[in-house]
Amino acid sequence: MSDASNILVTGGAGFIGAHTCEALVRAGFRPVIYDNLSNSNAAVLDRLERLTGSRPAFIHADIRDAHQLERVFTDTSFDAVIHLAGLKAVGESVEQPLHYYDVNVTGTLTLLAAMRQGNVRTLVFSSSATVYGDPATVPIHEDFPRQPTNPYGRTKMVVEDILADLAGSDPDWRFALLRYFNPIGAHESGLIGEDPSGIPGNLLPYVAQVAVGRRQELSVFGNDYPTPDGTGVRDYIHVVDLAEGHIAALTHLTAQGGFVTTNLGTGNGFSVLEIVQAFERASGRRIPLRFAPRRPGDIAACYADPSHANRLLGWKALRDIDTMCADAWRWQSRNPHGYGGKDGS
Ligand code: NAD
Ligand code: WQD
């Protein structure tokens, strides 16, 4: 056994989790994955072993299982937790709000109680740019008002408030609240990537599945937004840059403690049509598309002011949109059905 720090990564088998585990190993940490595999596949463990040379320890369990979590903190000494486990589909959260509050909020409360019992008081939390709702202006700074427009976003806001109250009650807690913008791409190896079940709700995996021939054409939701080409503008960030942001946050908390709230984005906005063009360049394939009505709840433009993370964490997103698309395409073309054809489509 090496004396590397153990980091519990809830949701570590998921899209962002797998890339965060890879980045942790690269930075000299030992990730332990805690995941119920409700939206991921155990094959990711084989891939991480191939990629990093070491197989992450894996606990197949639910974040709401208090007994299991207590046992985890009793059995192993952890330096910190990176908490990514949760549900993230906006539309589903409108249909099943109780389920979303249960997993995202009750799950976090259960985790925090177990951490307190196990005397682990350092946590990096996956928040989301969705807490800003429809911002009055862009780029978005951390002190903009939080006004999420759906239950998913409200679960993230509630957890942010819980963490602030806990920090206020006991200065030993150290928290980093990371508000991710739109993570895309994949590790450059093509071994790990995004593997949504069913029909992808997000733009990039949908485009990638059109390129690989799994879907016929992209529906572009709205071309009458007040943006340069009329389609929605977002801040796409390479998932490896995002993963490295977690290492920077962890390092900052370990060295300085405190309560950090920061955007993780690039500061650049790209439209849907610009993304399609970038993916066509990366894949050499044409992406057939048609214009469709706006998707309910969508906003025109959303991108970060990333300067707080740059200054505070010494972190900056490095990978450009062409790299994001090239890496996403490498993953998609080598794994046309993701980790193992879960949806068989
Ligand atoms: P993902 O679905 O790929 O990963 C989440 C992981 O959590 C999955 O492996 C899933 O099996 C696991 N999980 C879900 N419910 C669980 C439970 N009850 N107990 C244990 N494990 C459970 O999603 P992701 O894109 O990797 O997102 C990770 C986190 O980042 C989520 O909290 C999400 O809300 C947040 N986030 C994601 C995005 C994005 O666009 N991908 C943007 C902002 C924030
Ligand atoms: C991007 C753009 C769409 C699909 C969502 C969540 C947010 C965060 C990230 C977790 C928009 C357009 C999309 C398609 C399209 N997740 N689009 N055709 O909506 O910015 O954010 O994921 O926290 O909470 O809301 O990302 O990838 O769904 O859409 O035209 O088939 O692509 O209208 O302009 P979004 P997205």
Side-chain angles (χ1 to χ4, degrees):
M1 291 279 270
S2 79
D3 59 1
S5 300
N6 291 317
I7 310 294
L8 188 70
V9 186
T10 75
F15 171 47
I16 298 167
H19 291 85
T20 301
C21 288
E22 187 278 330
L24 281 166
V25 174
R26 200 160 20 100
F29 296 96
R30 189 164 46 216
V32 174
I33 296 177
Y34 187 104
D35 200 303
N36 70 355
L37 300 181
S38 59
N39 197 37
S40 46
N41 189 312
V44 76
L45 302 170
D46 302 329
R47 301 296 185 92
L48 282 170
E49 184 174 1
R50 273 171 69 187
L51 190 51
T52 66
S54 64
R55 191 176 183 81
F58 174 53
I59 300 150
H60 186 185
D62 196 289
I63 195 70
R64 294 161 295 176
D65 184 340
H67 294 300
Q68 183 65 254
L69 277 170
E70 265 177 43
R71 205 170 311 140
V72 166
F73 288 108
T74 309
D75 288 352
T76 307
S77 163
F78 286 99
D79 289 273
V81 177
I82 299 181
H83 179 35
L84 305 123
L87 303 175
K88 62 165 183 175
V90 170
E92 193 179 62
S93 80
V94 175
E95 288 155 17
Q96 304 176 41
L98 291 183
H99 185 43
Y100 269 67
Y101 279 99
D102 188 31
V103 173
N104 291 3
V105 179
T106 311
T108 304
L109 287 172
T110 311
L111 172 66
L112 290 167
M115 287 177 67
R116 186 170 54 185
Q117 174 101 349
N119 209 20
V120 179
R121 286 190 167 67
T122 303
L123 179 90
V124 176
F125 173 63
S126 301
S127 190
S128 170
T130 203
V131 298
Y132 297 115
D134 191 357
T137 56
V138 279
I140 298 173
H141 190 266
E142 285 80 359
D143 58 14
F144 275 26
R146 294 174 310 159
Q147 42 195 16
T149 56
N150 55 68
Y152 165 67
R154 281 187 282 275
T155 67
K156 292 294 181 188
M157 188 171 76
V158 169
V159 171
E160 287 194 351
D161 290 342
I162 291 170
L163 300 181
D165 285 341
L166 193 50
S169 76
D170 176 353
D172 285 348
W173 284 98
R174 299 162 169 222
F175 292 119
L177 282 53
L178 306 182
R179 295 178 179 158
Y180 313 155
F181 280 67
N182 290 57
I184 62 166
H187 189 269
E188 63 181 358
S189 63
L191 284 170
I192 56 175
E194 189 167 12
D195 183 17
S197 19
I199 300 171
N202 294 116
L203 178 64
L204 241 292
Y206 201 102
V207 168
Q209 290 192 10
V210 172
V212 85
R214 279 176 72 178
R215 316 254 164 224
Q216 275 195 329
E217 64 175 8
L218 173 73
S219 296
V220 177
F221 299 141
N223 61 348
D224 57 352
Y225 284 109
T227 59
D229 66 18
T231 66
V233 167
R234 297 291 183 274
D235 187 339
Y236 298 94
I237 174 170
H238 196 296
V239 64
V240 175
D241 279 323
L242 190 78
E244 289 169 354
H246 292 69
I247 311 301
L250 200 57
T251 306
H252 175 88
L253 286 185
T254 307
Q256 303 191 32
F259 188 92
V260 172
T261 302
T262 192
N263 292 336
L264 290 186
T266 66
N268 304 313
F270 287 94
S271 74
V272 175
L273 295 181
E274 286 174 320
I275 292 296
V276 169
Q277 286 157 12
F279 208 90
E280 288 184 334
R281 282 196 300 276
S283 63
R285 306 264 175 110
R286 201 175 65 81
I287 312 292
L289 59 81
R290 69 182 177 91
F291 292 109
R294 291 182 180 193
R295 187 171 63 177
D298 267 357
I299 58 177
C302 170
Y303 53 93
D305 176 343
S307 57
H308 183 57
N310 300 167
R311 276 194 309 273
L312 186 75
L313 306 180
W315 168 91
K316 194 175 187 315
L318 300 173
R319 295 160 179 88
D320 65 14
I321 200 69
D322 288 321
T323 306
M324 297 182 215
C325 291
D327 289 342
W329 175 241
R330 190 175 305 105
W331 156 255
Q332 186 69 69
S333 54
R334 291 189 187 172
N335 308 270
H337 292 275
Y339 288 110
K342 271 184 306 178
D343 60 4
S345 59

